[in-house]
Amino acid sequence: MSPLITPRQLKSALDGTEPPVVLDVRWNLLGPPGEREYAEGHLPGAVFVDTETELAAPPAGTVGGRHPLPHTDVLRRALRRAGVNSDRRVVVYDSGDGSVAARAWWLLRWAGHSAVHVLDGGFAAWTAAGLPVTTEVPHPEPGEFVVTPGNMPVTDAEGARRLARTGILLDARAGQRYRGETEPVDPRAGHIPGAYNAPAGDHVTAAGNWRSPTELSTRFTEFGLTETVDAGAYCGSGINACSVILALEHAGLRTPENPAALYPGSWSEWSADPHRPAATGAWPG
């Protein structure tokens, strides 16, 4: 089952007898607020889920990073409020490069949902296709989804350190941050020694659609990644890294049964400890 769904495929599914639950997870670190974008127009039937408060827990000092995984009860309430059940497909979308939607996709899979898709191209692709948008806020019947954490692999700082030396660790941040030329958010600049740079923005085309499996596979195999090599991903705070995990599955280099691992704390956690090394420059180090 592909992790992606096209706007036309979603429209057909919404018109069918068993329409999927649609989650609007638009969010940008620098704004505007996703809830405001949602109020100005969203897909029919879509329920807004807040990335900061429902798809992440509050930061807890230097442990866990800026966007720790959400508390189980918070995620459960958010998904049930949106009408999510285990036997009903879920589609998530954002307004950017698919990274935020990938975080929701990853969390649903981590929580035990097996039928989740990211809308290819997000909100922009939906509107570009001339499909309907509404300001009407739905009130779905509450779902009964049971959040069962642990269905997607995660790693901590020590695990990420080992993976960078014994497998393939991918850094989803923009090249300038990976190379240590700038660091606008976190305590120190640079990257985890041994990690390769795979910017989330490069997973999609200029139009915002995910690149083909062949393009992505070629890109990742250049790092030495194969179906059998241990792989993991991190970013600034654990959100954009989820797009790497989705891209690997879309490329056919990973399966739902054997996904790459996520380092949720990511660079925001790693860089907060001055005893952890930081590499700079274009090479893994």
Side-chain angles (χ1 to χ4, degrees), residues 169-197:
L169 182 64
L170 300 172
D171 184 323
R173 295 174 301 158
Q176 301 95 313
R177 292 183 69 191
Y178 171 85
R179 294 188 295 270
E181 297 165 3
T182 182
E183 182 45 68
V185 185
D186 295 317
R188 289 184 290 151
H191 60 266
I192 297 175
Y196 292 88
N197 192 206

mmCIF file of all heavy atoms in Angstrom, residues 169-197:
data_model
loop_
_atom_site.group_PDB
_atom_site.id
_atom_site.type_symbol
_atom_site.label_atom_id
_atom_site.label_comp_id
_atom_site.label_asym_id
_atom_site.label_seq_id
_atom_site.Cartn_x
_atom_site.Cartn_y
_atom_site.Cartn_z
ATOM 1 N N LEU A 169 22.575 7.050 8.875
ATOM 2 C CA LEU A 169 21.770 8.038 9.583
ATOM 3 C C LEU A 169 21.607 9.251 8.683
ATOM 4 O O LEU A 169 22.597 9.821 8.212
ATOM 5 C CB LEU A 169 22.437 8.441 10.900
ATOM 6 C CG LEU A 169 21.670 9.453 11.767
ATOM 7 C CD1 LEU A 169 20.339 8.866 12.242
ATOM 8 C CD2 LEU A 169 22.522 9.899 12.955
ATOM 9 N N LEU A 170 20.355 9.632 8.430
ATOM 10 C CA LEU A 170 20.053 10.726 7.511
ATOM 11 C C LEU A 170 19.543 11.948 8.263
ATOM 12 O O LEU A 170 18.669 11.840 9.125
ATOM 13 C CB LEU A 170 19.012 10.270 6.482
ATOM 14 C CG LEU A 170 19.453 9.079 5.610
ATOM 15 C CD1 LEU A 170 18.284 8.578 4.776
ATOM 16 C CD2 LEU A 170 20.621 9.478 4.711
ATOM 17 N N ASP A 171 20.093 13.105 7.935
ATOM 18 C CA ASP A 171 19.739 14.389 8.539
ATOM 19 C C ASP A 171 18.837 15.136 7.562
ATOM 20 O O ASP A 171 19.258 15.480 6.459
ATOM 21 C CB ASP A 171 21.022 15.179 8.812
ATOM 22 C CG ASP A 171 20.795 16.502 9.533
ATOM 23 O OD1 ASP A 171 19.784 17.175 9.254
ATOM 24 O OD2 ASP A 171 21.643 16.883 10.357
ATOM 25 N N ALA A 172 17.595 15.398 7.971
ATOM 26 C CA ALA A 172 16.598 15.980 7.059
ATOM 27 C C ALA A 172 16.612 17.503 7.011
ATOM 28 O O ALA A 172 15.794 18.104 6.331
ATOM 29 C CB ALA A 172 15.196 15.501 7.450
ATOM 30 N N ARG A 173 17.542 18.144 7.722
ATOM 31 C CA ARG A 173 17.566 19.604 7.737
ATOM 32 C C ARG A 173 18.162 20.170 6.444
ATOM 33 O O ARG A 173 18.838 19.475 5.683
ATOM 34 C CB ARG A 173 18.375 20.104 8.934
ATOM 35 C CG ARG A 173 17.757 19.762 10.289
ATOM 36 C CD ARG A 173 18.687 20.164 11.421
ATOM 37 N NE ARG A 173 19.968 19.484 11.299
ATOM 38 C CZ ARG A 173 21.090 19.913 11.851
ATOM 39 N NH1 ARG A 173 21.097 21.035 12.563
ATOM 40 N NH2 ARG A 173 22.213 19.233 11.692
ATOM 41 N N ALA A 174 17.927 21.467 6.225
ATOM 42 C CA ALA A 174 18.503 22.145 5.065
ATOM 43 C C ALA A 174 20.024 22.094 5.135
ATOM 44 O O ALA A 174 20.624 22.005 6.221
ATOM 45 C CB ALA A 174 18.032 23.590 5.023
ATOM 46 N N GLY A 175 20.642 22.150 3.986
ATOM 47 C CA GLY A 175 22.083 22.013 3.904
ATOM 48 C C GLY A 175 22.864 22.996 4.756
ATOM 49 O O GLY A 175 23.892 22.650 5.352
ATOM 50 N N GLN A 176 22.395 24.239 4.837
ATOM 51 C CA GLN A 176 23.118 25.252 5.616
ATOM 52 C C GLN A 176 23.200 24.872 7.089
ATOM 53 O O GLN A 176 24.225 25.117 7.741
ATOM 54 C CB GLN A 176 22.447 26.618 5.472
ATOM 55 C CG GLN A 176 22.368 27.138 4.050
ATOM 56 C CD GLN A 176 21.040 26.808 3.406
ATOM 57 O OE1 GLN A 176 20.563 25.673 3.484
ATOM 58 N NE2 GLN A 176 20.425 27.808 2.783
ATOM 59 N N ARG A 177 22.133 24.306 7.606
ATOM 60 C CA ARG A 177 22.140 23.899 9.011
ATOM 61 C C ARG A 177 22.986 22.641 9.201
ATOM 62 O O ARG A 177 23.722 22.524 10.173
ATOM 63 C CB ARG A 177 20.715 23.666 9.503
ATOM 64 C CG ARG A 177 19.885 24.946 9.581
ATOM 65 C CD ARG A 177 18.501 24.680 10.134
ATOM 66 N NE ARG A 177 18.535 24.323 11.546
ATOM 67 C CZ ARG A 177 17.486 23.845 12.213
ATOM 68 N NH1 ARG A 177 16.331 23.655 11.586
ATOM 69 N NH2 ARG A 177 17.582 23.549 13.495
ATOM 70 N N TYR A 178 22.857 21.695 8.296
ATOM 71 C CA TYR A 178 23.676 20.487 8.370
ATOM 72 C C TYR A 178 25.162 20.833 8.367
ATOM 73 O O TYR A 178 25.944 20.298 9.172
ATOM 74 C CB TYR A 178 23.339 19.572 7.189
ATOM 75 C CG TYR A 178 24.261 18.387 7.027
ATOM 76 C CD1 TYR A 178 24.053 17.206 7.733
ATOM 77 C CD2 TYR A 178 25.351 18.448 6.139
ATOM 78 C CE1 TYR A 178 24.897 16.112 7.576
ATOM 79 C CE2 TYR A 178 26.195 17.360 5.982
ATOM 80 C CZ TYR A 178 25.971 16.197 6.693
ATOM 81 O OH TYR A 178 26.813 15.124 6.542
ATOM 82 N N ARG A 179 25.559 21.741 7.480
ATOM 83 C CA ARG A 179 26.972 22.095 7.347
ATOM 84 C C ARG A 179 27.466 22.971 8.506
ATOM 85 O O ARG A 179 28.665 23.192 8.655
ATOM 86 C CB ARG A 179 27.221 22.801 6.020
ATOM 87 C CG ARG A 179 26.997 21.907 4.801
ATOM 88 C CD ARG A 179 27.444 22.585 3.528
ATOM 89 N NE ARG A 179 26.665 23.767 3.211
ATOM 90 C CZ ARG A 179 25.558 23.777 2.473
ATOM 91 N NH1 ARG A 179 25.079 22.622 1.980
ATOM 92 N NH2 ARG A 179 24.917 24.901 2.219
ATOM 93 N N GLY A 180 26.526 23.487 9.300
ATOM 94 C CA GLY A 180 26.914 24.323 10.422
ATOM 95 C C GLY A 180 27.126 25.775 10.060
ATOM 96 O O GLY A 180 27.702 26.536 10.851
ATOM 97 N N GLU A 181 26.629 26.192 8.899
ATOM 98 C CA GLU A 181 26.797 27.582 8.478
ATOM 99 C C GLU A 181 25.850 28.514 9.222
ATOM 100 O O GLU A 181 26.124 29.711 9.358
ATOM 101 C CB GLU A 181 26.561 27.691 6.968
ATOM 102 C CG GLU A 181 27.573 26.908 6.139
ATOM 103 C CD GLU A 181 27.127 26.739 4.704
ATOM 104 O OE1 GLU A 181 26.057 27.271 4.338
ATOM 105 O OE2 GLU A 181 27.850 26.057 3.935
ATOM 106 N N THR A 182 24.747 27.965 9.684
ATOM 107 C CA THR A 182 23.775 28.746 10.437
ATOM 108 C C THR A 182 23.005 27.819 11.363
ATOM 109 O O THR A 182 22.862 26.631 11.062
ATOM 110 C CB THR A 182 22.789 29.481 9.499
ATOM 111 O OG1 THR A 182 21.884 30.274 10.262
ATOM 112 C CG2 THR A 182 21.977 28.496 8.675
ATOM 113 N N GLU A 183 22.533 28.343 12.468
ATOM 114 C CA GLU A 183 21.680 27.583 13.367
ATOM 115 C C GLU A 183 20.727 28.556 14.053
ATOM 116 O O GLU A 183 21.066 29.158 15.068
ATOM 117 C CB GLU A 183 22.487 26.797 14.390
ATOM 118 C CG GLU A 183 21.618 25.944 15.317
ATOM 119 C CD GLU A 183 20.548 25.182 14.557
ATOM 120 O OE1 GLU A 183 20.892 24.269 13.793
ATOM 121 O OE2 GLU A 183 19.356 25.539 14.689
ATOM 122 N N PRO A 184 19.541 28.751 13.479
ATOM 123 C CA PRO A 184 18.617 29.766 13.980
ATOM 124 C C PRO A 184 17.816 29.361 15.207
ATOM 125 O O PRO A 184 17.187 30.220 15.834
ATOM 126 C CB PRO A 184 17.689 29.989 12.782
ATOM 127 C CG PRO A 184 17.674 28.662 12.081
ATOM 128 C CD PRO A 184 19.061 28.110 12.252
ATOM 129 N N VAL A 185 17.824 28.086 15.578
ATOM 130 C CA VAL A 185 16.916 27.616 16.621
ATOM 131 C C VAL A 185 17.629 26.899 17.760
ATOM 132 O O VAL A 185 17.353 27.148 18.934
ATOM 133 C CB VAL A 185 15.832 26.685 16.021
ATOM 134 C CG1 VAL A 185 14.812 26.307 17.088
ATOM 135 C CG2 VAL A 185 15.142 27.344 14.840
ATOM 136 N N ASP A 186 18.536 26.013 17.434
ATOM 137 C CA ASP A 186 19.100 25.110 18.435
ATOM 138 C C ASP A 186 20.415 25.621 19.028
ATOM 139 O O ASP A 186 21.027 26.549 18.496
ATOM 140 C CB ASP A 186 19.251 23.721 17.828
ATOM 141 C CG ASP A 186 17.900 23.110 17.491
ATOM 142 O OD1 ASP A 186 16.988 23.228 18.324
ATOM 143 O OD2 ASP A 186 17.758 22.526 16.400
ATOM 144 N N PRO A 187 20.884 25.010 20.142
ATOM 145 C CA PRO A 187 22.026 25.548 20.888
ATOM 146 C C PRO A 187 23.337 25.630 20.115
ATOM 147 O O PRO A 187 24.138 26.529 20.341
ATOM 148 C CB PRO A 187 22.161 24.571 22.071
ATOM 149 C CG PRO A 187 20.801 23.992 22.245
ATOM 150 C CD PRO A 187 20.244 23.900 20.868
ATOM 151 N N ARG A 188 23.586 24.654 19.225
ATOM 152 C CA ARG A 188 24.850 24.630 18.491
ATOM 153 C C ARG A 188 24.602 24.292 17.032
ATOM 154 O O ARG A 188 23.594 23.702 16.669
ATOM 155 C CB ARG A 188 25.792 23.572 19.088
ATOM 156 C CG ARG A 188 26.357 23.917 20.447
ATOM 157 C CD ARG A 188 27.350 22.844 20.880
ATOM 158 N NE ARG A 188 26.687 21.579 21.187
ATOM 159 C CZ ARG A 188 27.252 20.382 21.052
ATOM 160 N NH1 ARG A 188 28.474 20.274 20.565
ATOM 161 N NH2 ARG A 188 26.601 19.281 21.401
ATOM 162 N N ALA A 189 25.559 24.678 16.193
ATOM 163 C CA ALA A 189 25.473 24.377 14.770
ATOM 164 C C ALA A 189 26.207 23.082 14.460
ATOM 165 O O ALA A 189 27.057 22.626 15.226
ATOM 166 C CB ALA A 189 26.065 25.520 13.951
ATOM 167 N N GLY A 190 25.875 22.492 13.316
ATOM 168 C CA GLY A 190 26.542 21.280 12.869
ATOM 169 C C GLY A 190 25.607 20.101 12.762
ATOM 170 O O GLY A 190 24.379 20.268 12.723
ATOM 171 N N HIS A 191 26.173 18.899 12.720
ATOM 172 C CA HIS A 191 25.366 17.686 12.592
ATOM 173 C C HIS A 191 25.995 16.547 13.388
ATOM 174 O O HIS A 191 27.140 16.642 13.848
ATOM 175 C CB HIS A 191 25.197 17.286 11.125
ATOM 176 C CG HIS A 191 26.492 16.992 10.409
ATOM 177 N ND1 HIS A 191 27.163 17.952 9.674
ATOM 178 C CD2 HIS A 191 27.251 15.856 10.303
ATOM 179 C CE1 HIS A 191 28.254 17.421 9.141
ATOM 180 N NE2 HIS A 191 28.331 16.149 9.519
ATOM 181 N N ILE A 192 25.243 15.481 13.551
ATOM 182 C CA ILE A 192 25.749 14.301 14.244
ATOM 183 C C ILE A 192 26.864 13.678 13.391
ATOM 184 O O ILE A 192 26.650 13.398 12.204
ATOM 185 C CB ILE A 192 24.619 13.278 14.483
ATOM 186 C CG1 ILE A 192 23.545 13.877 15.403
ATOM 187 C CG2 ILE A 192 25.178 11.994 15.081
ATOM 188 C CD1 ILE A 192 22.335 12.977 15.598
ATOM 189 N N PRO A 193 28.042 13.493 13.945
ATOM 190 C CA PRO A 193 29.127 12.920 13.156
ATOM 191 C C PRO A 193 28.743 11.590 12.516
ATOM 192 O O PRO A 193 28.218 10.698 13.173
ATOM 193 C CB PRO A 193 30.243 12.730 14.198
ATOM 194 C CG PRO A 193 29.977 13.782 15.222
ATOM 195 C CD PRO A 193 28.468 13.842 15.311
ATOM 196 N N GLY A 194 28.987 11.506 11.203
ATOM 197 C CA GLY A 194 28.673 10.294 10.462
ATOM 198 C C GLY A 194 27.358 10.351 9.718
ATOM 199 O O GLY A 194 27.083 9.485 8.872
ATOM 200 N N ALA A 195 26.528 11.366 10.009
ATOM 201 C CA ALA A 195 25.213 11.465 9.355
ATOM 202 C C ALA A 195 25.340 12.082 7.961
ATOM 203 O O ALA A 195 26.193 12.942 7.717
ATOM 204 C CB ALA A 195 24.272 12.303 10.207
ATOM 205 N N TYR A 196 24.463 11.639 7.064
ATOM 206 C CA TYR A 196 24.403 12.187 5.716
ATOM 207 C C TYR A 196 23.248 13.197 5.630
ATOM 208 O O TYR A 196 22.236 13.044 6.312
ATOM 209 C CB TYR A 196 24.164 11.082 4.684
ATOM 210 C CG TYR A 196 25.318 10.128 4.520
ATOM 211 C CD1 TYR A 196 25.432 8.992 5.319
ATOM 212 C CD2 TYR A 196 26.296 10.344 3.558
ATOM 213 C CE1 TYR A 196 26.489 8.107 5.172
ATOM 214 C CE2 TYR A 196 27.358 9.464 3.391
ATOM 215 C CZ TYR A 196 27.446 8.346 4.201
ATOM 216 O OH TYR A 196 28.495 7.476 4.054
ATOM 217 N N ASN A 197 23.409 14.192 4.766
ATOM 218 C CA ASN A 197 22.379 15.214 4.618
ATOM 219 C C ASN A 197 21.370 14.815 3.549
ATOM 220 O O ASN A 197 21.720 14.595 2.387
ATOM 221 C CB ASN A 197 23.025 16.545 4.246
ATOM 222 C CG ASN A 197 22.088 17.732 4.340
ATOM 223 O OD1 ASN A 197 22.267 18.734 3.678
ATOM 224 N ND2 ASN A 197 21.070 17.649 5.188
#
